């Protein structure tokens, strides 16, 4: 069995779980080594790096120092988030195919779409699938025939 290899993360990465830059850990085999975000270190180097990390204050080990964010800054960020969410809602409200509260189209309505040059075939076919179900034919002529049958059926 191969011996574990001690490495240090040069940047953030994932090995078993998320690793931060500077984390020292062991990998199980040589194939797990990634020169992109790891560097091999000796056991002595690993011990020295761990001791140095323990001496460093917790707040300076993270990218964001949460001790300096005040409530007004948080409230400003919440307002920005609410504005962005409102904008997303406004933009997606009238997207074709996303209208959950729109009434179902009848076979006659979908037939009108077949002759409308502004309606693309896939939009027409999707509307026809809602009326005809999984048995929707693949060609436009067959779909029109099936819709006409459905529209004239008692």
């Amino acid at each position: 069995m191969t011996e574990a290899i001690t490495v240090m993360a040069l940047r953030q990465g994932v090995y078993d779980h998320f690793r931060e830059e500077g984390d020292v850990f062991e990998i199980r085999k040589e194939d797990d080594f990634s020169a992109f975000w790891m560097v091999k270190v000796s056991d002595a180097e690993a011990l020295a790096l761990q001791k140095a990390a323990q001496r460093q204050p917790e707040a300076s080990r993270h990218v964001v120092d949460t001790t300096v964010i005040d409530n007004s800054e948080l409230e400003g960020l919440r307002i920005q988030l609410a504005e962005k969410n409102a904008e997303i809602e406004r933009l997606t409200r009238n997207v074709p195919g996303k209208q959950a509260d729109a009434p179902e189209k009848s076979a006659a309505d979908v037939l009108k779409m077949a002759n409308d040059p502004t309606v693309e075939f896939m939009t027409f076919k999707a509307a026809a699938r809602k009326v005809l179900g999984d048995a929707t034919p693949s060609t436009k002529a067959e779909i029109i025939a099936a819709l006409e049958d459905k529209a004239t059926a008692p």
Side-chain angles (χ1 to χ4, degrees):
M1 187 164 145
T2 60
E3 191 174 314
I5 302 163
T6 306
V7 296
M8 181 179 74
L10 296 173
R11 58 182 54 90
Q12 294 176 338
V14 176
Y15 184 81
D16 289 335
H17 58 82
F18 185 77
R19 307 290 182 158
E20 291 283 346
E21 178 182 345
D23 284 356
V24 177
F25 57 98
E26 291 184 343
I27 56 175
R28 289 177 282 286
K29 56 186 185 232
E30 185 71 33
D31 290 345
D32 293 344
F33 179 76
S34 170
F36 177 72
W37 70 280
M38 297 176 192
V39 64
K40 293 179 185 177
V41 294
S42 69
D43 291 339
E45 288 174 309
L47 186 59
L49 289 167
Q50 287 172 340
K51 285 183 180 180
Q54 289 170 351
R55 286 190 302 266
Q56 188 178 16
E58 178 69 23
S60 66
R61 286 188 234 163
H62 299 286
V63 177
V64 177
D65 183 5
T66 57
T67 60
V68 296
I69 296 178
D70 61 4
N71 287 338
S72 62
E73 193 172 353
L74 284 175
E75 191 57 35
L77 291 171
R78 283 188 188 108
I79 290 169
Q80 287 178 2
L81 183 60
E83 289 171 351
K84 298 291 184 194
N85 286 338
E87 181 70 5
I88 290 169
E89 175 62 30
R90 184 188 68 76
L91 291 172
T92 59
R93 189 174 304 133
N94 296 321
V95 173
K98 193 174 181 350
Q99 298 172 356
D101 54 349
E104 292 279 330
K105 291 189 186 306
S106 67
D109 294 334
V110 177
L111 277 170
K112 290 177 189 172
M113 292 173 67
N115 297 324
D116 187 348
T118 62
V119 177
E120 294 184 11
F121 173 70
M122 293 309 289
T123 304
F124 164 70
K125 187 173 181 180
R129 183 176 304 279
K130 288 181 181 178
V131 173
L132 299 173
D134 290 335
T136 304
S138 58
T139 65
K140 187 172 184 175
E142 292 172 336
I143 294 172
I144 291 172
L147 287 169
E148 288 172 343
D149 288 344
K150 183 131 181 140
T152 58

